[in-house]
Amino acid sequence: MDSSFTVLEQLTELDPARVANLPQSTPITIRSVAISFRSDSETLIYVGTGGGKLILLSINPSISDSVQFVQLISIGSRLIETILVLSEIERVLVLSDGNLYLTDTLLSQPVKKLGFLKEVTAVARRFRTESSNFISETTENGDSSSEITEDSAGPSLSDTHCGSSSSAVAAMGKKLVLIEMILSDNDVKVHLKEILGFDGIKAMAWVNESIFVGNSNGYFLVSSETGKSNDIFTLPEFSRNPKLKPLLQGEEVLLLVDNLGVVIDTLGQPKGGSLVFKCMPNGVCQLGSYVVVSGDAKLEMYRRNGECIQVVDVGKFGTGGLILGGDDMAKGEMVAVATTSKVICYRKASMEEQIKALLKKKKYREAISLSEGLKSDGEITKRIFSFVHAQVGFLLFFDLRFEEAVDHFLLSEEMDPSEIFPFITQENRWSKLVPRNRYWALHPPPAPLEEVIDAALARIQNMIFLKRAGLDANLDERFLFNLPSRADLLELAIRNIIRYLVASRNKEFSPEVKDGVDTLLMYLYRALDLVPEMENLASSDNSCVVEELEVLLNNSGHLRTLAFLYGSKGMDSKSVAIWRHLARNYAASLRRETADTLERGTSSERKAAEEASKILQLSSDQDLVLEHLSWISDINEDLAVTILISEKRTDQLSPESVLAAIDVRKVAIRQRYLQWLIEDQECDDPRYHTLYALSLAKSALEQVATGSDSTDERSNGNMSEDCNDEVENGYKFSVRERLQLFLQASDLYDPEELLDVVNDSELWLEKAILYRKMGQENIVLQILALKLEDSEAAEQYCAEIGRDDAYIQLLDLYLDPQNGKEPMFSAAVRLLHNHGESLDPLQVLERLSPEMPLQLATDTILRMLRARVHHHRQGQIVHSMSRAINLDAKLTRMEERSRHVQLNDESMCNSCYARLGTKLFVMYPDNSVVCYRCYRNQGESTSTKGRNFKQDVSFRPGWLVTR
């Protein structure tokens, strides 16, 4: 911490006897001091003397000479040891000569002596940090030396009462007395409860249900509910008297062991680190988040981490132990320290004024260091801390230390980006957003960067002149030896403002501020000609105001940035128009460029088309898409297809309009669009199926005419990265392969219309598919067998037909091909070898040509005849076995039906258990017997044993068939 850091500053020094107009013949000796905060403009000071006088003074903490005498009363003739201000009930509790006295806070009412309490050695008020009962109704014994007893002369302390109340604990002899004071009708009723078994108590603190007690042996914790006690720790031999002080309004307690302060929580457990004091404390109090201790001649102030931040020398006012008094509730910002005759009041110094003084001296690091310390102490809020960073940033900015200034701007969470706007442009639509009068008037008002730099350079020149003249000038040495140029400073300022605005884009501000940040950021990018940054900003999600930028960007020639900006704002028509303009300019420039820039120009032209395609892929404006389809297809057909088949748009384009807009010369685009329409969109319109087939057929005819058998080549040769993978995969086949696959897969095109196109061509397989669609089996077989000579395909087609006469018809074509063609005996033999067993031998023999060599057909004919005989004999065997099985089943059935059943008088129905006698009965295959009535009820298929004979068939072995 900087040595200039001051927490305590003297407010006033006063002589209580003089302020109270006491005669000099009766001097007073101050023995105790207490402070009570009433309001921001009034704090009460209670001064207790060695002669039993209690003096009340009033002071305004913000005014040094504002001490006023209020009242003086006499409480006995002995010294006043302790003064406790009970603000809850507007009373003051005083310990004097072992007795307790109660009076009002303004000392205007008679003093009431609590006569039932005598020989009191210590007293402490109670602090409440949470809702808790005073004492439980259940009385429990603590250890062997602790016992709670209740005063029988009044109601129970645990009784519910109305009005304000306050509690205290007094050490009296070998017991603790719990005192509850209830304010009712401007009178205080006192209730008591005792805890026995303690001796030699010198210091106490009471927080919630925990009473911290100190004697010459050590510190221990007593429960106000049960009376049980637990040791905290033992004091070393020859240590000073124990002292205790509640901190943070009772959330913690400070226990003193000589010059060591141990912080514990309300349960007696250590909390945080210990405080090591430079002096032996005579008194302890809390001031805000700091701990103040008084020694023999000094006041010391400590942070909670044990760091001593200030020492105040009070030795000039007198010698001996200092008496320290503060507000027990830690509400005020003032402490009082007293010698035997004087009272010196100290208040917490204004932190803002100290920070402001450092900033005026341009000690920026010291100011930030001080602010960080105050923030960690809880003395300033997070908002004030951010305010200091912003203030330092502005001062550094006007000192031309732009990088450091922006670093502080970024550390300020309260700073609004609109405060930077006046540095960029003075008059704009965001001028009214700039906050007014927020700072300490330590820097000039914001102005455009050029003016700020010019004023700073002039000021530096004056300082340099003064420095060289031998006068003292607060000048940065770097400017003395190396003064940057105006252009360098301007660029540095712009770059750092850019850095701040870029960081501000990730924070939450009002829509108007966001508009200003992005728009002015584009201004700055343009000022430094940072084209990539401009395009990245324009193409991303931004809040730029187009009206503020379109003229600027258009005049400066940053058309790509303007196109990106239009696109990000949904102004697709304007954006695509710019990309078209750029693409045409690239194309026109290629005729003027040299060979080494040709490739770069082509790439730029394609990039313009790609950017336009990204917009058109999302657009559902059909007129816009079709308007720009032509020039994009001239550059890259893949991009044109990607636009047409894009599924990113909400509403798809009309196929009729698309097909009408596609240039008739762009055959590949038409085909790929129709393919997507049919395959991906599952279009079942016969017109589009026929159009696609006709287009493929014409392309196939051209391919055959040119002798090319390669896959389709696009006009550009390079596949665009944006092309759909499905389209690319669909074009890995040649045109004829695609035509054949489509003709086989689709049933919606018009085969007759296609035949008119391919009928006079050599596309025999395509014709076969078309005739097959038309049901012309004979023509299909002729093409497969005679034109293509594909025996396997012909036989497969016969198998698809599924009739034996199809094979006979194919055999006729092989043996009699006509048109002067030689018989295809090998194909005929193959056919008979593969399918001859299923053909009629007579029909085959009738069709065999006399000219066919016998050795070719002998084996095949023999195998046909043998197979026919084998099938005949196999049928006879099966027929005979079937007759035998039928005969066996009849015989078994006859045996079952002819079985004899013997019944007697005791025989009963297995279902109703009635005697059968002469009744008609039925016996099931599982030998269960039922009467006829039960048989009619349960049916003939289910017996009384639950067996269903239709599902679980009864098997009886016969002479032929056994299990």
Side-chain angles (χ1 to χ4, degrees):
M1 180 63 65
D2 189 83
S3 60
S4 61
F5 175 50
T6 301
V7 177
L8 282 180
E9 64 179 5
Q10 183 176 336
L11 176 61
T12 186
E13 173 192 350
L14 58 95
D15 183 348
R18 181 179 300 175
V19 175
N21 293 322
L22 294 177
Q24 296 183 358
S25 58
T26 57
I28 63 171
T29 303
I30 300 175
R31 294 301 185 184
S32 57
V33 178
I35 289 179
S36 176
F37 174 80
R38 293 178 66 87
S39 66
D40 292 338
S41 60
E42 183 182 17
T43 298
L44 299 180
I45 303 175
Y46 297 89
V47 180
T49 69
K53 291 182 175 60
L54 182 60
I55 304 172
L56 176 60
L57 306 175
S58 173
I59 188 171
N60 187 341
S62 59
I63 303 175
S64 58
D65 297 327
S66 60
V67 179
Q68 294 180 355
F69 170 73
V70 179
Q71 189 61 272
L72 182 147
I73 61 175
S74 180
I75 301 178
S77 59
R78 298 297 181 92
L79 67 88
I80 296 178
E81 303 174 25
T82 305
I83 304 172
L84 298 179
V85 181
L86 309 178
S87 56
E88 298 91 341
I89 59 174
E90 293 292 327
R91 292 294 184 271
V92 177
L93 186 63
V94 179
L95 173 59
S96 176
D97 193 24
N99 297 310
L100 289 179
Y101 299 89
L102 195 63
T103 183
D104 65 297
T105 53
L106 297 179
L107 310 185
S108 59
Q109 298 180 6
V111 178
K112 179 180 180 181
K113 180 180 179 181
L114 305 182
F116 40 79
L117 297 173
K118 297 180 180 181
E119 297 182 1
V120 176
T121 58
V123 64
R125 62 160 299 158
R126 185 183 192 183
F127 291 88
R128 294 179 182 269
T129 60
E130 57 188 3
S131 59
S132 58
N133 294 328
F134 184 80
I135 296 177
S136 174
E137 292 184 4
T138 303
T139 301
E140 300 182 16
N141 290 332
D143 54 25
S144 58
S145 62
S146 301
E147 181 181 355
I148 294 183
T149 62
E150 191 170 322
D151 186 4
S152 61
S156 171
L157 292 180
S158 60
D159 291 343
T160 303
H161 56 77
C162 300
S164 302
S165 66
S166 182
S167 304
V169 57
M172 188 173 64
K174 294 186 178 183
K175 61 184 178 181
L176 298 177
V177 180
L178 310 185
I179 310 167
E180 183 175 25
M181 293 158 280
I182 304 172
L183 180 64
S184 178
D185 297 331
N186 203 26
D187 188 22
V188 177
K189 296 180 180 180
V190 180
H191 299 164
L192 305 177
K193 198 176 269 286
E194 297 180 355
I195 303 178
L196 305 179
F198 304 100
D199 192 14
I201 298 175
K202 298 180 180 180
M204 292 187 300
W206 188 5
V207 179
N208 295 336
E209 283 71 43
S210 301
I211 302 176
F212 300 87
V213 180
N215 57 19
S216 58
N217 296 323
Y219 293 101
F220 51 95
L221 178 63
V222 180
S223 171
S224 62
E225 289 187 347
T226 65
K228 291 183 178 181
S229 63
N230 296 303
D231 291 338
I232 299 177
F233 61 81
T234 303
L235 290 175
E237 193 176 0
F238 305 115
S239 63
R240 301 181 65 184
N241 289 333
K243 285 185 174 63
L244 300 95
K245 185 64 178 180
L247 302 178
L248 299 179
Q249 298 186 20
E251 293 182 4
E252 298 173 354
V253 178
L254 180 67
L255 310 182
L256 294 180
V257 183
D258 293 334
N259 67 330
L260 177 67
V262 180
V263 181
I264 61 175
D265 59 17
T266 56
L267 300 178
Q269 300 299 320
K271 183 177 181 180
S274 300
L275 283 73
V276 180
F277 305 117
K278 297 180 180 180
C279 64
M280 291 293 184
N282 293 320
V284 181
C285 72
Q286 184 177 1
L287 184 64
S289 61
Y290 305 109
V291 176
V292 183
V293 297
S294 62
D296 290 339
K298 293 182 180 180
L299 284 181
E300 297 177 1
M301 177 164 284
Y302 291 85
R303 279 203 173 99
R304 299 301 304 280
N305 60 5
E307 178 188 0
C308 181
I309 57 175
Q310 186 179 0
V311 177
V312 179
D313 189 0
V314 197
K316 60 182 179 179
F317 299 104
T319 58
L322 298 178
I323 303 169
L324 184 62
D327 188 352
D328 287 340
M329 301 306 294
K331 295 180 179 178
E333 296 189 351
M334 193 181 83
V335 296
V337 59
T339 63
T340 56
S341 60
K342 301 285 186 179
V343 175
I344 307 98
C345 297
Y346 293 91
R347 65 182 174 188
K348 198 171 1 174
S350 172
M351 300 299 127
E352 291 186 4
E353 291 299 326
Q354 294 185 62
I355 297 172
K356 191 186 300 185
L358 291 173
L359 295 180
K360 289 180 179 179
K361 299 176 183 179
K362 297 188 179 298
K363 295 183 178 181
Y364 304 132
R365 292 184 180 179
E366 291 82 351
I368 293 299
S369 177
L370 174 57
S371 301
E372 290 174 347
L374 294 174
K375 179 176 177 292
S376 65
D377 295 338
E379 292 298 317
I380 61 173
T381 63
K382 189 176 182 180
R383 187 187 67 83
I384 295 297
F385 184 66
S386 297
F387 173 86
V388 173
H389 269 297
Q391 177 68 86
V392 172
F394 278 109
L395 291 171
L396 289 168
F397 199 90
F398 281 96
D399 285 347
L400 305 185
R401 297 161 64 177
F402 302 115
E403 186 173 357
E404 298 175 64
V406 170
D407 290 340
H408 285 283
F409 289 155
L410 294 175
L411 291 174
S412 175
E413 298 181 3
E414 296 294 324
M415 182 172 174
D416 196 288
S418 61
E419 298 179 53
I420 299 296
F421 295 169
F423 292 113
I424 304 172
T425 173
Q426 194 71 26
E427 296 297 332
N428 52 62
R429 64 168 65 191
W430 302 283
S431 300
K432 296 181 180 179
L433 299 177
V434 181
R436 305 294 181 184
N437 300 324
R438 292 189 53 206
Y439 297 101
W440 291 327
L442 299 179
H443 61 80
L449 286 175
E450 294 84 352
E451 298 180 14
V452 171
I453 293 174
D454 291 340
L457 290 176
R459 188 170 61 253
I460 292 171
Q461 291 289 353
N462 292 335
M463 290 182 179
I464 292 175
F465 176 78
L466 295 175
K467 187 80 172 179
R468 291 173 178 173
L471 299 177
D472 185 18
N474 189 7
L475 177 65
D476 194 336
E477 294 295 331
R478 63 173 180 164
F479 291 122
L480 183 61
F481 301 105
N482 185 20
L483 183 62
S485 66
R486 182 180 185 275
D488 292 340
L489 288 172
L490 183 60
E491 181 179 352
L492 181 62
I494 293 176
R495 289 190 180 277
N496 281 282
I497 293 180
I498 287 175
R499 182 163 62 93
Y500 174 73
L501 294 179
V502 169
S504 299
R505 297 190 73 222
N506 300 323
K507 300 179 182 179
E508 290 297 328
F509 296 105
S510 64
E512 295 81 5
V513 173
K514 287 185 177 181
D515 293 346
V517 168
D518 285 358
T519 305
L520 296 179
L521 184 58
M522 187 69 76
Y523 268 101
L524 298 177
Y525 281 150
R526 182 254 179 192
L528 297 182
D529 199 26
L530 300 176
V531 176
E533 288 78 1
M534 294 172 64
E535 295 181 358
N536 289 336
L537 175 60
S539 59
S540 64
D541 185 14
N542 63 80
S543 301
C544 293
V545 179
V546 178
E547 295 79 4
E548 295 283 334
L549 294 173
E550 54 186 348
V551 176
L552 177 71
L553 295 176
N554 191 30
N555 293 339
S556 62
H558 294 95
L559 296 182
R560 282 176 55 89
T561 301
L562 185 56
F564 282 126
L565 185 58
Y566 281 143
S568 66
K569 297 302 179 182
M571 305 168 72
D572 296 343
S573 178
K574 290 186 176 182
S575 180
V576 178
I578 293 179
W579 290 120
R580 180 177 185 177
H581 172 75
L582 292 173
R584 286 181 174 178
N585 287 348
Y586 291 143
S589 64
L590 292 181
R591 294 190 294 267
R592 302 190 300 268
E593 297 290 340
T594 58
D596 59 340
T597 59
L598 181 61
E599 182 179 355
R600 183 178 59 189
T602 304
S603 175
S604 300
E605 182 183 19
R606 185 164 56 249
K607 286 181 179 179
E610 290 174 356
E611 296 298 336
S613 71
K614 292 177 183 178
I615 298 174
L616 296 177
Q617 288 176 43
L618 299 172
S619 176
S620 298
D621 187 345
Q622 179 171 289
D623 295 335
L624 177 65
V625 173
L626 299 183
E627 176 187 355
H628 295 276
L629 181 66
S630 176
W631 69 269
I632 294 178
S633 64
D634 291 339
I635 296 174
N636 191 305
E637 292 187 358
D638 292 330
L639 292 176
V641 174
T642 305
I643 294 171
L644 295 177
I645 68 176
S646 172
E647 297 184 2
K648 299 177 182 178
R649 58 174 60 96
T650 55
D651 300 322
Q652 291 298 329
L653 307 178
S654 168
E656 293 183 2
S657 301
V658 171
L659 293 174
I662 297 176
D663 191 340
V664 293
R665 295 170 296 179
K666 307 293 184 181
V667 177
I669 297 178
R670 179 182 294 270
Q671 291 178 1
R672 292 163 68 180
Y673 176 73
L674 288 171
Q675 179 184 1
W676 170 81
L677 193 64
I678 294 170
E679 296 179 0
D680 293 358
Q681 300 300 305
E682 300 179 355
C683 177
D684 55 1
D685 192 331
R687 294 179 300 164
Y688 302 130
H689 285 251
T690 303
L691 284 175
Y692 182 50
L694 287 173
S695 180
L696 288 176
K698 293 177 182 178
S699 297
L701 291 175
E702 295 177 1
Q703 189 182 80
V704 171
T706 57
S708 172
D709 195 29
S710 60
T711 58
D712 179 63
E713 296 180 359
R714 261 64 55 87
S715 59
N716 295 71
N718 295 325
M719 174 67 72
S720 169
E721 294 180 0
D722 294 332
C723 260
N724 195 299
D725 290 338
E726 296 180 1
V727 176
E728 182 181 353
N729 293 335
Y731 269 68
K732 61 186 178 182
F733 303 105
S734 67
V735 176
R736 288 200 63 183
E737 288 173 340
R738 296 204 310 277
L739 175 60
Q740 294 164 7
L741 290 173
F742 177 72
L743 294 179
Q744 291 176 353
S746 175
D747 295 324
L748 298 177
Y749 59 84
D750 186 355
E752 294 182 358
E753 190 172 350
L754 282 169
L755 280 174
D756 293 341
V757 175
V758 302
N759 200 26
D760 296 333
S761 68
E762 296 296 323
L763 303 179
W764 294 108
L765 181 56
E766 289 79 354
K767 289 193 234 180
I769 298 173
L770 293 173
Y771 281 118
R772 176 185 173 186
K773 295 287 184 181
M774 298 171 64
Q776 301 291 335
E777 298 174 358
N778 187 38
I779 300 177
V780 174
L781 288 175
Q782 288 181 18
I783 294 175
L784 294 176
L786 304 181
K787 295 296 183 181
L788 299 177
E789 297 183 357
D790 190 346
S791 301
E792 183 178 354
E795 293 175 13
Q796 183 179 355
Y797 180 62
C798 292
E800 294 176 2
I801 295 175
R803 302 193 309 273
D804 291 343
D805 63 320
Y807 292 105
I808 297 298
Q809 186 178 359
L810 179 59
L811 182 62
D812 289 340
L813 293 175
Y814 284 148
L815 298 178
D816 187 15
Q818 297 180 358
N819 295 330
K821 191 172 183 179
E822 295 293 330
M824 303 170 66
F825 295 125
S826 299
V829 170
R830 170 189 168 88
L831 174 64
L832 295 176
H833 177 77
N834 292 336
H835 306 283
E837 296 179 1
S838 61
L839 302 180
D840 188 349
L842 293 179
Q843 294 183 10
V844 173
L845 291 174
E846 289 176 356
R847 283 167 173 75
L848 290 179
S849 171
E851 300 177 357
M852 182 177 181
L854 184 61
Q855 62 272 17
L856 294 177
T858 301
D859 295 338
T860 301
I861 294 175
L862 287 176
R863 188 163 58 254
M864 290 174 55
L865 295 176
R866 289 170 182 167
R868 180 63 62 174
V869 173
H870 171 72
H871 289 159
H872 176 69
R873 291 177 179 175
Q874 189 177 36
Q876 289 179 332
I877 294 172
V878 171
H879 178 69
S880 299
M881 292 186 68
S882 298
R883 291 186 60 189
I885 292 173
N886 185 36
L887 181 61
D888 184 32
K890 289 181 178 180
L891 179 61
T892 303
R893 182 179 177 83
M894 185 180 296
E895 291 176 354
E896 286 293 320
R897 298 179 70 87
S898 63
R899 278 199 302 162
H900 294 283
V901 179
Q902 183 176 358
L903 301 176
N904 53 33
D905 294 339
E906 301 298 327
S907 298
M908 294 184 299
C909 173
N910 294 137
S911 178
C912 66
Y913 301 105
R915 294 183 182 274
L916 294 177
T918 60
K919 295 180 182 179
L920 188 63
F921 66 92
V922 175
M923 185 176 71
Y924 287 96
D926 60 356
N927 298 326
S928 59
V929 179
V930 297
C931 63
Y932 189 73
R933 187 181 65 179
C934 294
Y935 165 73
R936 293 289 301 273
N937 291 337
Q938 64 189 32
E940 62 179 4
S941 60
T942 304
S943 71
T944 58
K945 297 179 180 179
R947 183 175 179 180
N948 191 330
F949 295 103
K950 289 185 177 181
Q951 299 177 357
D952 185 10
V953 180
S954 178
F955 182 82
R956 299 290 184 184
W959 63 273
L960 180 61
V961 181
T962 63
R963 185 177 290 275

